[in-house]
Amino acid sequence: MRGWRLWLLSVLFLLTACARGEREIKPPEIRYGEDLCAECNMIISDPRYAAGYAYEITTGRYESVAFDDIGDLLVNLRKYPERKIVAWYVHDYASKEWLDATTAFYVVSPKIRSPMGHGIAAHADQSAAQAMAQSVYGEVRDWAGLQSYARIAR
């Protein structure tokens, strides 16, 4: 009986260790110049425009997905509405640090040369977004406004 319990515990440990996904919700780890965008399969090389999201693949297990352009993230969200997204991430244009995408301020302008041409840059600070928008003749949007814009634009 004791051997059977040990065998069962070993099997359960192996199944848990081999489970797909991470236990922690976090932004994707991107190796710039090496990793590919989940939407367009281009190499992610410019952190100013990189984005990502984390979604639940099974209860308590998460997968993070990376994109080379904020617009590609938005396109991908529309393709996979069944995914249970638990966090969205973008980089601050100036610092290149990860931000919660739902709290960022977005500048949208055709003059912004993002990797896939969506023309979107994220900022942690609203005044930085307004300054950029003025210089590129763009407009500032919040997360909800950006999603509405993306539905209309593409």
Side-chain angles (χ1 to χ4, degrees), residues 7-111:
W7 178 84
L8 182 61
L9 284 173
S10 297
V11 168
L12 288 174
F13 175 77
L14 284 173
L15 288 174
T16 302
C18 296
R20 197 171 143 229
E22 300 285 330
R23 291 190 182 277
E24 183 182 351
I25 298 169
K26 60 184 179 179
E29 294 176 21
I30 302 172
R31 293 169 302 176
Y32 295 97
E34 294 179 38
D35 288 342
L36 300 178
C37 173
E39 181 58 31
C40 68
N41 291 315
M42 300 288 285
I43 292 175
I44 304 171
S45 58
D46 192 340
R48 296 176 302 168
Y49 302 104
Y53 64 75
Y55 69 101
E56 189 172 54
I57 53 176
T58 60
T59 303
R61 303 296 279 193
Y62 308 96
E63 187 170 307
S64 294
V65 184
F67 303 92
D68 66 344
D69 193 303
I70 297 167
D72 275 5
L73 175 143
L74 297 169
V75 168
N76 191 269
L77 287 174
R78 287 195 309 269
K79 281 187 177 178
Y80 299 101
E82 73 282 359
R83 286 187 174 167
K84 184 179 176 185
I85 310 297
V86 294
W88 294 268
Y89 304 99
V90 293
H91 278 112
D92 177 70
Y93 185 83
S95 72
K96 301 176 190 161
E97 296 293 323
W98 282 118
L99 303 173
D100 174 345
T102 65
T103 64
F105 299 93
Y106 299 91
V107 178
V108 179
S109 170
K111 293 193 178 288

